[in-house]
Each structure stands twice: as C-alpha cells, then as structure tokens.
Amino acid sequence: MALTKKAYAKINWMLDVVGRRADGYHNLVTVMQSVSLCDTLTFERRDDVAGILLDTGGALPADDSNLICRAARAYFKETGKPFGVQVSLEKKIPMQAGMGGGSADAAATLLALNEMEGGRFSLKELCRVAATVGADVPFCVAGGTKICRGIGEKMETVDSCFSPYLVVAMAGEGVSTPQAFRAMDEKFGDFSLPEREAAKRLPAIKSALEQGDVNALSTLLYNRFEDVILPVRPRVEELKQQLLSLGANVALMSGSGPSVFGVFGDAKEAERAAEALCAGGAFATVCQTVSAG
Ligand code: C5P
C-alpha cells in the first residue's frame, strides 16, 4: 500500500547568524515556522528494488545528491536493515529559495520510512538522524513553530498564537546557501554584533508570537541575511515593498533568500496580493502556518 506524506516548506520569523564554528558551519538563532506550501511524496515498498527508486518527474536530479536519497541512506544506516522503496516526488516548493524544500523532502522521507518500520524510532531519535542529513532537517521532522539554535539541531517549541495568511513570493534565480554564509563571514567577522542583537530581540519575538501580537511582530521580525542579499538582489527588496503596498503588515526574506513572505490578516487581501505579484512575473502563492504534527 502506498504512503503519502506532505513535506511542508518553512519560513523564518527571525534569523540571525551568531558565530562561525571550527567545522565551517555557523551557529544560528532563528525562529522557524512550517507553512502549508508543500511538496507531496508517495512511498511504496518494492521487494524487487534495492534501496531507493526515486521519480522526481525531472524537477531535480534523482541521484545520490538528492536529499531524499541521503535521508534514506541515513535511516537505513541506523536500522542496518535496508529495504526497497519507490518514491515519487511532486515538487511545489521553489528550489534554492530559502524555504527548506530539500530539507522538507528529507524529513518526509525519514518520517515515512520510520512509519513503514512500525515507528521504530521516537521523534527525538529521528531528529538526531535528521541532523546528519542537513541543518534544517531536524526542524522539518518536528515542524510547527520552533526557536532553533546551534546549526538548527537545538530546538525549543514556541506556543504560537500567530496564524496569519502568508503570501510567499520569489523572482529570479535561487541563492546558494554556502555562498550566502561566505558573504556573512566577510560582512560580520566574529558575529558579536548579531549575537547581542539576537539576545536582545528574541524574548520579545517569542512573547509576541505567543500572544499573536502582529503590531509588535511587525517591528521586531528580522533576517540578518537581508544585509548581504538585498544589495545584490534588488528584486528581493522590490517584492518586499510590493507586498507592503499590497497590504502586508510585515514583509521579510526567508532563510538565505531570495524568497520573501508577507503577513496578511485577511485571506482575500492575500489572494489579491499574490495575483498582483504573479501578474508582474513573480512566483507567488498564499499559504498559512502549520502547527507541529
Ligand atoms: O546543512 P545544509 O546542507 O543545509 O547546508 C548547506 C551549506 O550551508 C553548508 O555546507 C554550509 O556551508 C552552510 N551552512 C552553514 N551554517 C549552517 C547551515 C548551513 O555554514 N548553520
């Protein structure tokens, strides 16, 4: 029997880079949020196949560079009991957008394989395996609203009451995450300034999310990657300004970009904004926040 899983994209309510580690990765302080924009993955056990047989419909390579394959390898390494599985991927989350699309697919794969194995690992154990696949994968396994630290593996649940309509938009080419981090190294050096700013603002952001206080959030939310991406990608700032003029309470870049999201209180207004951005040649869609599992 086939098993279908939705792989939800994420946005970042706030994102700061607070240090560079010896292994070249960066420590973050971020508040991540699952959203309803999603890929759909279908899994079917196949005894005539060795390992993963992946069909992406040509949307992206189906080889071992794909995070779905890497997630399956990581899972089977833990169990020591690989089995054949056919996976088909319907891609809706834009790629290299800063919305965690690849990580969401990897997380859906871990959750599906674990379900096929009768729930062998707890969510906590699955998050540990997820961290070996990619920095954002543990969050995608857990979902909902989380403060993430370290490279994303240290998670704290936020009991958020903030569930607005969101317009997610993107124009132009994707951004390479490693390149965006290199630009951050050049601009921020030892990251002491971002670290202080994150420590100052995070408690207020957490409490505004808990209270669903959109006015407070519109002055508090920020993404440090905007400092290095906006100067080289003017279309990102343009999309932010368009979202604001179309009625968004706040508009922000997600992850290392170039996708942006606008926060709307009203579904119709959000629909109209998405239509206007699409008419201008951008990708834009309305979605909502998604709570944990
Ligand atoms: O873990 P993931 O594959 O998503 O990361 C892609 C790249 O982005 C890493 O190889 C690293 O260069 C950079 N990165 C980082 N610090 C993080 C996450 C990613 O430097 N916390």
Side-chain angles (χ1 to χ4, degrees):
M1 232 198 18
L3 173 63
T4 299
K5 286 258 170 235
K6 285 183 172 170
Y8 294 111
K10 61 86 183 162
I11 57 163
N12 303 77
W13 291 131
M14 75 81 93
L15 170 55
D16 218 332
V17 181
V18 297
R20 187 159 191 271
R21 309 188 333 171
D23 63 3
Y25 270 78
H26 294 76
N27 286 325
L28 309 176
V29 175
T30 180
V31 185
M32 304 245 248
Q33 174 67 59
S34 306
V35 299
S36 56
L37 173 62
C38 64
D39 295 340
T40 304
L41 291 89
T42 308
F43 299 83
E44 203 155 359
R45 201 166 175 137
R46 286 272 302 266
D47 293 331
D48 57 332
V49 165
I52 290 279
L53 182 64
L54 176 60
D55 175 11
T56 67
L60 65 166
D63 57 21
D64 267 12
S65 67
N66 194 299
L67 279 180
I68 294 172
C69 298
R70 278 163 47 191
R73 258 211 319 270
Y75 187 84
F76 290 141
K77 191 172 161 210
E78 284 297 316
T79 64
K81 262 198 339 174
F83 54 82
V85 58
Q86 182 175 336
V87 186
S88 33
L89 167 68
E90 191 195 338
K91 195 85 199 144
K92 287 277 169 61
I93 306 172
M95 285 182 270
Q96 288 205 307
M99 299 197 70
S103 303
D105 295 343
T109 303
L110 293 173
L111 288 162
L113 294 179
N114 199 43
E115 208 169 307
M116 288 164 126
E117 280 281 62
R120 172 178 182 143
F121 297 121
S122 68
L123 200 65
K124 196 170 166 203
E125 288 167 329
L126 217 51
C127 284
R128 184 182 50 75
V129 182
T132 69
V133 182
D136 288 346
V137 187
F139 167 75
C140 293
V141 166
T145 314
K146 301 261 184 307
I147 296 169
C148 300
R149 299 172 195 271
I151 65 165
E153 78 289 2
K154 293 177 196 148
M155 290 188 281
E156 178 192 337
T157 297
V158 178
D159 200 5
S160 177
C161 278
F162 190 52
S163 51
Y165 292 92
L166 298 165
V167 174
V168 170
M170 173 168 157
E173 285 180 8
V175 163
S176 148
T177 306
Q179 265 176 31
F181 274 106
R182 276 198 291 277
M184 294 294 271
D185 288 338
E186 279 163 30
K187 187 163 178 76
F188 292 104
D190 69 354
F191 295 100
S192 57
L193 189 130
E195 190 175 15
R196 282 199 301 276
E197 181 75 11
K200 203 168 82 190
R201 280 221 239 174
L202 184 66
I205 291 174
K206 181 172 182 243
S207 109
L209 285 169
E210 284 164 351
Q211 285 154 30
D213 184 346
V214 68
N215 292 327
L217 288 167
S218 62
T219 64
L220 287 166
L221 300 185
Y222 74 105
N223 180 342
R224 185 73 62 185
F225 276 104
E226 287 189 347
D227 291 7
V228 295
I229 301 296
L230 298 194
V232 294
R233 295 290 294 267
R235 196 77 176 91
V236 177
E237 179 63 36
E238 246 172 65
L239 280 175
K240 281 182 61 181
Q241 292 307 323
Q242 281 176 293
L243 282 163
L244 291 170
S245 66
L246 288 160
N249 296 108
V250 53
L252 204 67
M253 195 174 80
S254 186
S256 53
S259 67
V260 296
F261 62 90
V263 169
F264 291 79
D266 177 81
K268 282 219 172 65
E269 203 173 20
E271 282 296 346
R272 276 198 297 271
E275 278 164 24
L277 295 180
C278 288
F283 161 86
T285 187
V286 177
C287 58
Q288 285 182 272
T289 56
V290 172
S291 313

